[in-house]
Amino acid sequence: MSRRPPRTPARRPDPRQRNAQRDGQRGGQRGGQREDGRGRPRPEALSELGGDQVEGRRAVLELLAAGRRTVRRVMVAEDQDPSPLLDRIEELAVRLRVPVETVPRARLDAQARTEAPQGVLALARPLDPVPLEDLCRPGRGAAAPFLLVAAGITDPRNLGALLRSAECAGVTGVVLPRHRSARLSPTVTKTAAGAIEHLPFAVVGGVPAALSELRDLGVWSIGLAGEAEQSLYDLPLGDGPVALVVGSEEKGLAPLVRRRCDLVVAIPQHGALPSLNVGVAGAVACFEVARQRAAASG
């Protein structure tokens, strides 16, 4: 393990701050509280998305490497085994002049809001949402928009896994409803393994209205429902703007959301179980779009 640079001395945690941050993202509520210049929470400054506390080695590494937002400090548990990921995290933090604190494992675990933070967490500026219309503009290389609409996913692990798959498949933007949806909590960010640092997010008041707006902006909305008659694999998805719409874990697509989709399709199944997990179904659909786009581009 390479020699570690000097770190700023650890500070005694403020129980009020820890409790406020934990409450700020519990149960899929709005994202955690921002801090003032002294590292104290500001209750009046709530983020629509969250993402202010990032846990897990890969997630913290991507946070620093992406350089998308300000990182206030990184906390690393003491007495850890050598790790190339930890070395890289500390190298990037030093380069970016982000304070790195070495703290007892018990203190880090008390600050953490996931079960296994892997000995590292970071406090950062929350992610800011972008307007929905911004997601509908061509991406790099004039690529057509490829959006994911998460219409009511409340389980943070499902949302995190889906965001990781979406980013890997080339999704260019994500739409989240303002209510009845998980936010970018520490569990989501850790499960997503850094994907949130590379995805723009729009937060909308209602998914049905957002789908109508997407239609007006020229984006074709494809809903996923296990009981639909048409197969996802029969659609031409190799070019043109498209938005995949996935529903909630228990009820799937809400009736009005289903009606606002341009088309509702199923992923063919060949086993005894009636449906796929929402994160798995979304991943399969994302990679079918990616496959067709790759084939169309030659």
Side-chain angles (χ1 to χ4, degrees):
M1 188 174 184
S2 61
R3 183 177 180 182
R4 298 182 185 273
R7 311 182 183 96
T8 56
R11 293 184 296 181
R12 186 177 183 82
D14 183 344
R16 294 172 299 175
Q17 177 178 345
R18 184 171 62 242
N19 293 339
Q21 289 175 324
R22 180 178 291 117
D23 292 341
Q25 295 201 16
R26 182 175 291 161
Q29 297 175 0
R30 287 185 179 183
Q33 295 162 323
R34 303 190 188 199
E35 297 173 337
D36 62 16
R38 297 182 181 179
R40 296 176 302 193
R42 296 190 309 175
E44 74 281 3
L46 291 173
S47 163
E48 284 215 282
L49 280 172
D52 56 320
Q53 182 159 313
V54 179
E55 301 177 14
R57 296 179 183 184
R58 175 58 60 181
V60 172
L61 179 61
E62 292 298 327
L63 167 69
L64 294 166
R68 181 178 176 183
R69 51 200 177 113
T70 302
V71 182
R72 295 187 174 92
R73 67 179 181 271
V74 173
M75 298 172 63
V76 179
E78 61 189 13
D79 299 327
Q80 299 192 72
D81 292 334
S83 164
L85 278 180
L86 286 178
D87 285 343
R88 182 61 177 153
I89 287 170
E90 294 189 9
E91 290 169 5
L92 284 173
V94 170
R95 183 185 305 171
L96 296 170
R97 298 182 180 179
V98 175
V100 179
E101 300 180 39
T102 301
V103 299
R105 171 76 69 169
R107 177 186 165 186
L108 188 138
D109 288 344
Q111 171 103 15
R113 299 200 292 275
T114 63
E115 294 180 358
Q118 299 176 321
V120 61
L121 66 81
L123 301 177
R125 179 178 60 81
L127 281 168
D128 294 322
V130 303
L132 183 61
E133 57 267 27
D134 286 3
L135 298 186
C136 300
R137 295 169 181 163
R140 289 174 295 182
F146 173 14
L147 308 182
L148 173 69
V149 181
I153 298 177
T154 57
D155 186 297
R157 290 180 177 81
N158 279 338
L159 181 58
L162 180 56
L163 293 178
R164 182 174 185 175
S165 297
E167 200 284 326
C168 289
V171 162
T172 60
V174 178
V175 180
L176 295 176
R178 183 167 288 114
H179 307 292
R180 293 183 292 278
S181 173
R183 285 291 170 266
L184 302 184
S185 66
T187 298
V188 172
T189 61
K190 182 175 181 291
T191 307
I196 69 166
E197 310 303 334
H198 306 283
L199 290 167
F201 293 85
V203 177
V204 298
V207 171
L211 295 180
S212 295
E213 184 175 352
L214 288 177
R215 182 182 296 114
D216 294 339
L217 292 167
V219 179
W220 197 29
S221 298
I222 309 298
L224 297 181
E227 70 280 6
E229 295 182 1
Q230 186 167 358
S231 169
L232 168 72
Y233 303 131
D234 293 335
L235 298 184
L237 302 170
D239 56 10
V242 64
L244 295 175
V245 186
V246 296
S248 65
E249 290 89 349
E250 294 184 2
K251 298 181 179 180
L253 296 176
L256 185 54
V257 171
R258 180 189 291 261
R259 290 197 293 270
R260 293 290 173 86
C261 290
D262 294 301
L263 198 62
V264 177
V265 299
I267 297 171
Q269 297 174 225
H270 308 283
L273 295 180
S275 64
L276 292 169
N277 169 275
V278 64
V280 174
V284 170
C286 285
F287 276 95
E288 174 60 15
V289 175
R291 183 192 69 79
Q292 291 195 30
R293 288 194 168 196
S297 65

